[in-house]
Amino acid sequence: MPNLPTILAPSTPSASQGAGPRRIPVLPVRDTVLFPHAVLPLTVGRESSIQLIESLGEERSIIVAAQLDPRLDTPAPGDMHDVGTLATVHKVVRMPNQSRFVFTEGVERVRVLRYVQTEPFMIAEVETLEDVEPEPNSNVEAFERNVISQFQQIVAESPTLSDELRTIAANIEDPGRLVDFVASSLPFLTTDDKQKLLEAPAILDRLDLLNKHLAKEIEVQQLRTKIQSEVQDQVQQTQRDYYLREQLKAIQKELGEQDEGQREIDDLRAKIEAAGMPDDVKKEAMKELNRLGRMSPMAADYSLTRNYIEWLAVLPWATSSGQKIDIGKAKDILDEDHYELKKVKERILDYLSVLELKPDMKGPILCFVGPPGVGKTSLGRSIARALGRKFQRISLGGMHDEAEIRGHRRTYIGALPGQIIQSIRRAETNDPVIMLDEIDKLGRDFRGDPASALLETLDPEQNNTFRDNYLDVPFDLSKVLFICTANMLDTVPPPLIDRMEIIPLQGYSEEEKVHIAKRYLIPRQIKANGINEEQIEFPEQAIRHIVRHYTREAGVRKLEQVIGTVCRKQARRVVEGKTDKLAVTRDILKEFLGHIQIRVDTEVAERVKRPGVAVGLAWTPAGGDILFIEANKMKGKGGFTMTGQIGEVMQESMQAALTWVRSNYARLGLSEDFNKELDLHIHVPAGAIPKDGPSAGVTMTTVLASLLTDTPVRPLTAMTGEITLSGNVLPVGGIKEKFLAARRAGVETIILPADNRQDVEEDLTPEMTEGVAIHYAKHIEDVLAVALPLLKPRHDALSLSAEAATTANA
């Protein structure tokens, strides 16, 4: 807070030392304005300002000028106000921290004409700013009296201003001196306000400006006094109300009547009796209710205790959905809402069958795992509808606080039960379907680990006595059907996975997407965009074109967005007066959606034309994808480079592939020291995306064999499988996702490990495999025989092993 200046009693001001420009050192100050005839103590701490003070000789005159921006530590001439105050330095005190405490007295207003020096401190050429004296008249006298009157009123009301200021102001006759004195004495004036008063040349203008500031301050003081009075009255009113309330209680007691607080206690008691609580919970609730009855409504804990009892009373301790189970109806609902997903539907119908035979069975803990857009969340709603139960969804994505699951203890202000108990209360039954969405996105920090808090919730052996931190009494969650969803299980702790029944939801084939679009997506988007089926038609050919060339995903979320875009375009046509029915064609799609975004028929064929390029198959949280792997060679000394942001496992697969090629050089028709004068480089494009895993081993071996034998890979061929040093092809996971990704990319030949034949037979339908030749390989030579048909080895012929088989569906 800046120091307040002290106005000296009238004294003889220092002479202006001539009317012409003078060169005087300039002391920059922050948030401070020095007025003529005022004494202002200043703390000088800047190195340049200390040098300025130390350089003063007998001529102890300086210019005190305020900075435009008080945050600047080393102001330049352009950062200073043009008008300052010529001041005399009376005394300098050296402080322990090497700063200086300087007593200055303002002499007169000056205007800076130009700066003649900036280092080590500023020196400026200044001229005196003469006051414009007003003509003596009644207007000036009225201004003076008003300023004095208002100033005296402010001093009288202010606890920080000395009463002597009132007397001094009344004795000042010169209007200019009066303005300077009052302005320097008022702490509420801002630096900008004071600077405007300093810069105003006309004394009458200063009087007018100061008069407005004083009037505003008086208004603020009156408002503050009013607020203080109201607060004091309110406190007195509260004390009076308390006294009257106690008297009312005594009167009601004498008359045998109940007060409002007692009626509230009786209502809560009735709710507790009707809630159907277990005996131990009811005992705790009655204990808290009796405690509440002894408390005053004015007590701090009264509302907290009442809220706690209300939570206990409103929970559905004994209320269930109670609907009769109808297996046929449940099957129809599941089929109506979702296409395919046979495993999930079978599991739900099995659960309903057991529930009908054993009504007190514990609810299963299901976890749907699959890529985005395959219908995990919507499937939960459909299951709740099929069961005839209430549905509640809890989003776990980004949740860090363990208290979100278990609740806060009642000792905290604003404490509430956790999301589990809150969902039970909203559902109003003790057997709802609760979906824990995105369980793989749970966070973890200093506030706790929500995944660990879920261990009790999702354990049927423990959740029948689930204790929320807020309630601190056991609640039975065993009748709740918990359904979790996740895109991948890598981030879910193993103990949590162990408590859940994992049901994988794989991506959809093109045929499935066409069916889903016809039955669900198109009717929903037509309705959502305000048009009807008589105004737009989606032929199957158009739907397939959208699926192939405008989306590449495992689910159908992007497909629905594209269909919605087409429907919005038609809605606009209808509003513009074009009411004819729109049959969606390729030309219409090109007009509405732009050029095709995915060229499935040409991308693979074009990129594998040259030797050293092959197509692998990868699994991602968003489904399957194709993976191009490229290799090149150059003159060198046997070096081997691997790039493409690949993980350690993938690097080891590359090393294994190179080892097999080097140890089987003769079978490939290569010389023994083929790599002696070569450097090899394997790269996996899309270098910004991390990649890892062993399933690209056969692809890397094929790439190296193709490069070194100068033989291109068979067009439109993709492969997957792990390779060993002896050349065996081991099985891998995610076969359905990888196969569908290859279909989407236009692949016609797929090479899979022989041990994955069972996955193909279980997960892929004949419609999915139609038009794709599937080759099963037990050894890498089986892979090379299919992938490099033009390879003419010098020694052992490459052929499919006896146990390998080929499935070709024309």
Side-chain angles (χ1 to χ4, degrees), residues 422-691:
Q422 290 189 41
S423 298
I424 296 287
R425 178 181 178 178
R426 287 193 294 267
E428 298 177 345
T429 62
N430 61 4
D431 59 347
V433 175
I434 295 183
M435 171 161 281
L436 303 176
D437 214 3
E438 309 290 357
I439 198 171
D440 56 330
K441 311 295 191 306
L442 277 172
R444 179 179 183 179
D445 62 10
F446 64 92
R447 288 168 288 190
D449 183 5
S452 298
L454 284 173
L455 292 178
E456 179 189 4
T457 307
L458 300 183
D459 189 345
E461 298 300 325
Q462 299 180 37
N463 64 11
N464 60 337
T465 56
F466 173 74
R467 276 185 180 269
D468 186 275
N469 288 334
Y470 180 82
L471 298 181
D472 200 27
V473 292
F475 189 91
D476 186 4
L477 296 178
S478 62
K479 296 180 181 179
V480 177
L481 173 57
F482 285 103
I483 299 177
C484 306
T485 70
N487 296 129
M488 55 193 300
L489 295 176
D490 296 3
T491 58
V492 182
L496 195 55
I497 295 177
D498 187 55
R499 284 163 166 77
M500 301 184 293
E501 182 180 342
I502 307 299
I503 300 179
L505 298 182
Q506 292 150 336
Y508 296 117
S509 66
E510 181 179 311
E511 291 297 326
E512 290 172 334
K513 289 183 179 180
V514 171
H515 281 292
I516 291 170
K518 283 182 178 178
R519 289 179 55 178
Y520 307 105
L521 306 184
I522 292 175
R524 187 159 64 205
Q525 286 300 319
I526 287 176
K527 182 179 179 181
N529 288 283
I531 55 179
N532 54 53
E533 294 182 358
E534 285 73 32
Q535 294 172 321
I536 190 168
E537 178 187 358
F538 283 86
E540 183 173 322
Q541 183 110 19
I543 300 174
R544 291 187 183 276
H545 190 68
I546 293 175
V547 171
R548 289 179 184 174
H549 298 291
Y550 289 95
T551 66
R552 178 181 280 180
E553 58 176 346
V556 293
R557 189 169 289 154
K558 180 67 176 177
L559 176 60
E560 184 171 10
Q561 292 174 2
V562 174
I563 292 172
T565 301
V566 175
C567 291
R568 286 192 294 274
K569 296 289 186 182
Q570 172 61 3
R572 180 177 172 185
R573 291 179 77 252
V574 171
V575 171
E576 290 174 349
K578 302 173 183 177
T579 56
D580 55 309
K581 185 174 184 177
L582 177 68
V584 179
T585 62
R586 291 193 177 193
D587 294 336
I588 293 293
L589 292 174
K590 183 178 179 181
E591 178 187 348
F592 287 176
L593 304 175
H595 291 285
I596 60 175
Q597 299 171 8
I598 298 159
R599 302 179 183 275
V600 294
D601 303 325
T602 59
E603 182 182 16
V604 174
E606 289 176 359
R607 293 184 65 170
V608 298
K609 281 182 180 178
R610 74 168 191 83
V613 181
V615 180
L617 298 174
W619 180 92
T620 70
D625 204 354
I626 61 172
L627 196 70
F628 288 97
I629 298 179
E630 302 179 354
N632 216 331
K633 60 185 178 181
M634 63 222 84
K635 287 185 178 181
K637 299 180 180 180
F640 188 49
T641 305
M642 301 169 285
T643 57
Q645 201 176 158
I646 52 180
E648 291 184 6
V649 176
M650 204 168 189
Q651 293 182 32
E652 291 171 358
S653 294
M654 291 181 176
Q655 292 285 357
L658 178 61
T659 299
W660 186 89
V661 170
R662 291 180 62 184
S663 62
N664 292 271
Y665 66 91
R667 299 186 183 189
L668 298 174
L670 302 174
S671 61
E672 183 176 359
D673 56 351
F674 68 88
N675 67 329
K676 184 176 180 181
E677 297 181 355
L678 288 178
D679 279 351
L680 298 178
H681 185 166
I682 290 188
H683 177 67
V684 185
I689 302 173
K691 313 166 195 71

Side-chain angles (χ1 to χ4, degrees), residues 755-771:
D755 291 338
N756 283 121
R757 182 194 295 269
Q758 182 178 351
D759 298 317
V760 173
E761 293 172 352
E762 286 185 1
D763 296 335
L764 300 177
T765 63
E767 291 81 9
M768 295 181 188
T769 58
E770 185 179 356

